[in-house]
Amino acid sequence: MQKRKKVLFIVPSLAGGGAERVLLNIMKRLDYSRYDLTLCTVLKDGVYLDEVPKEIKMISLMRSKRLFRLLTYLQIRFGIKVFFRWLIRKKVKEQYDVGISVIDSAYTDLLFFIHDRVPLKYSWVHASIQSYSNYSKYLDKGRVETLKKNRYQKLDKIIFVSNDSKNEFVQVFGHYAQMPVLYNFLDKEAIRSASCAHYPSDFSVREVNVVAVGSLLPVKGYEKLIYAAKLLNQDGLGFKIRILGTGPLYKKLNHLIDSMSLSDKIELTGFRKNPYAIMKHSDIFVMTSQSEALPTSLIEAMILELPVLVTDSPGCREVTENGKYGVVMENSIEGIYKGLKQMIRKEYLREKYSLLSRQRALFFDDDRILSSFYQIILSLFPFKEIREDIQLITLKKL
């Protein structure tokens, strides 16, 4: 029997983000008879922990969130890495064919602490680093040169989820030999099946139902969406906006909604493990982000044939092909207000962009993306094996 190839994935946690969900989608579809997979979470935490397939080996470096934050701060602020080095060398003892940092970050450096156990080291970039202020504000010249020398020049491959993400990275850090683009694998069949779950009882046919999906973070632009909703309400339009997600801005956004007397117009639903039933029965999908690398929820909305409105930002432009398949709004309160107003008032526009979403979703083909994953991530293996795995993907689908 042929020896299985050993792959190590490293991820900060299994929180409810798009990158974590994409990783789980892929892991559920790989052939465990050919690949021996290990998932190492830095922090044993997250809403997706119970979804990891039983065939995947699980390793966690720590359980304490307080310790996690402290060690991360020491590494980023002062370059103190000895604690993480000790932890991962203690917990990850096997030899692997390749190690993959699923979310490029300070935790990518963990691969270098076990360099003798992972001969090939990859990092996966899920952000647009120039337009996302959480990254760009730390990228002074000294920091850039340090990262180039101590991280990116040591990696065998740097993978990007979109061309926008890659282009922004190149403008900051330059070119490297292996820099492929790999779109996120979403599993359309699972999304459509999950969308058939119980119909949300609080939907009214007298209102145009608008849905937004994403963590409650500044980059998502939800404050602008709330201010735009105030203008829509002043126009007397019948609508209801549901924001699916949780995060540090929950209290602030909720207070803003209450202060504007919009509680009957905007609902913060919290995190939904299955957001697809609400998405499917909505009339419009809106995304108001400042920056996205490859917005997973936007593509999921297109799979469910929702008309989409997005702000003019990286990632959103790429998915909508600069407005060909969705409405691209000016990234401002006024721009969001005008875009939503037009779509709420004109049903024929919703029907038009619903059809365009259906067309665009065809581009994000599961089999093609998964075969790209085999070639890009697992290309250390002979081409014959890759070809056989791609054939297995097709057979599984049939």
Side-chain angles (χ1 to χ4, degrees):
M1 183 176 178
Q2 192 174 29
K3 184 180 178 182
R4 293 190 298 167
K5 305 300 182 182
K6 293 173 69 71
V7 182
L8 172 69
F9 293 98
I10 295 177
V11 67
S13 71
L14 287 176
E20 294 88 345
R21 190 159 73 248
V22 167
L23 174 64
L24 284 172
N25 289 342
I26 289 173
M27 286 182 135
K28 290 174 182 178
R29 291 287 292 271
L30 293 179
D31 181 3
Y32 305 125
S33 69
R34 300 173 70 84
Y35 303 103
D36 184 353
L37 306 179
T38 298
L39 176 61
C40 175
T41 60
V42 182
L43 175 66
K44 188 174 184 179
D45 184 58
V47 294
Y48 293 130
L49 274 173
D50 61 351
E51 289 192 33
V52 177
K54 66 182 187 313
E55 294 87 353
I56 309 292
K57 295 178 185 177
M58 285 285 294
I59 297 173
S60 295
L61 301 190
M62 65 190 78
R63 295 172 179 267
S64 168
K65 291 183 180 180
R66 185 173 297 178
L67 179 62
F68 173 75
R69 288 192 290 265
L70 173 62
L71 295 186
T72 300
Y73 175 77
L74 290 175
Q75 177 171 344
I76 294 174
R77 182 68 177 84
F78 300 106
I80 299 174
K81 305 176 182 180
V82 62
F83 301 108
F84 274 128
R85 180 182 287 109
W86 178 79
L87 278 170
I88 195 164
R89 290 196 66 82
K90 179 183 177 183
K91 297 289 186 78
V92 179
K93 295 183 177 180
E94 295 184 47
Q95 296 289 329
Y96 296 90
D97 293 289
V98 60
I100 304 161
S101 175
V102 177
I103 301 175
D104 184 61
S105 63
Y107 309 110
T108 299
D109 297 346
L110 296 176
L111 292 172
F112 307 133
F113 303 155
I114 50 171
H115 63 90
D116 54 327
R117 298 165 196 178
V118 283
L120 292 175
K121 304 166 189 66
Y122 302 165
S123 192
W124 209 334
V125 179
H126 286 264
S128 295
I129 59 173
Q130 279 187 311
S131 52
Y132 188 15
S133 60
N134 269 20
Y135 288 87
S136 60
K137 66 184 179 183
Y138 296 113
L139 294 177
D140 56 58
K141 186 176 180 180
R143 177 66 174 161
V144 168
E145 291 304 315
T146 297
L147 287 173
K148 287 167 69 173
K149 179 182 177 181
N150 296 334
R151 183 183 302 170
Y152 299 120
Q153 291 177 8
K154 293 181 178 180
L155 292 168
D156 296 285
K157 194 172 288 188
I158 307 169
I159 303 148
F160 300 88
V161 295
S162 69
N163 289 293
D164 278 348
S165 174
K166 178 178 177 178
N167 291 338
E168 290 199 12
F169 180 94
V170 167
Q171 289 180 46
V172 176
F173 295 107
H175 287 275
Y176 296 86
Q178 297 272 353
M179 301 179 71
V181 171
L182 175 63
Y183 284 133
N184 287 340
F185 174 76
L186 298 178
D187 198 339
K188 292 181 181 179
E189 290 181 10
I191 290 169
R192 291 184 180 121
S193 176
S195 73
C196 296
H198 178 66
Y199 186 96
S201 59
D202 60 339
F203 274 49
S204 170
V205 294
R206 295 188 297 274
E207 298 174 323
V208 175
N209 293 285
V210 182
V211 65
V213 182
S215 300
L216 306 184
L217 298 168
V219 71
K220 298 298 183 181
Y222 291 137
E223 286 190 51
K224 288 181 289 186
L225 177 59
I226 293 168
Y227 279 106
K230 179 181 179 181
L231 299 176
L232 294 170
N233 193 42
Q234 289 173 351
D235 288 341
L237 296 176
F239 69 94
K240 179 69 175 281
I241 298 174
R242 293 172 178 84
I243 301 175
L244 283 56
T246 188
L249 291 184
Y250 179 84
K251 288 184 178 179
K252 181 179 181 180
L253 295 177
N254 224 13
H255 176 74
L256 187 61
I257 291 167
D258 288 341
S259 69
M260 295 183 181
S261 302
L262 291 173
S263 56
D264 61 333
K265 292 295 183 181
I266 306 177
E267 178 185 355
L268 302 181
T269 71
F271 175 78
R272 296 297 180 102
K273 209 164 193 178
N274 175 13
Y276 307 117
I278 293 177
M279 292 173 71
K280 178 182 178 181
H281 296 297
S282 297
D283 302 297
I284 299 168
F285 175 88
V286 65
M287 177 165 277
T288 55
S289 298
Q290 169 192 331
S291 173
E292 295 280 348
L294 188 75
T296 300
S297 59
L298 171 57
I299 302 171
E300 290 170 338
M302 289 177 153
I303 291 169
L304 296 174
E305 301 181 20
L306 282 175
V308 300
L309 293 92
V310 300
T311 43
D312 187 9
S313 58
C316 292
R317 288 192 295 264
E318 185 164 339
V319 172
T320 62
E321 205 171 295
N322 294 309
K324 181 178 179 180
Y325 295 100
V327 176
V328 177
M329 308 174 290
E330 179 185 289
N331 202 341
S332 65
I333 295 170
E334 186 70 14
I336 296 166
Y337 159 66
K338 288 180 178 178
L340 277 171
K341 181 178 181 179
Q342 186 179 45
M343 192 70 78
I344 289 170
R345 294 179 64 183
K346 298 180 179 179
E347 185 176 357
Y348 77 89
L349 278 182
R350 300 199 295 273
E351 293 173 351
K352 171 187 173 181
Y353 281 100
S354 173
L355 291 173
L356 288 170
S357 283
R358 181 180 181 180
Q359 292 175 26
R360 184 56 168 167
L362 297 174
F363 177 78
F364 298 95
D365 178 73
D366 284 344
D367 289 348
R368 180 172 57 81
I369 292 170
L370 199 52
S371 66
S372 295
F373 173 86
Y374 275 92
Q375 294 177 58
I376 291 171
I377 303 291
L378 305 177
S379 60
L380 65 159
F381 309 135
F383 178 76
K384 180 176 181 293
E385 291 187 25
I386 296 172
R387 185 173 56 202
E388 289 173 355
D389 284 321
I390 294 170
Q391 291 171 347
L392 280 172
I393 295 167
T394 305
L395 288 172
K396 285 180 181 180
K397 185 175 181 181
L398 296 173

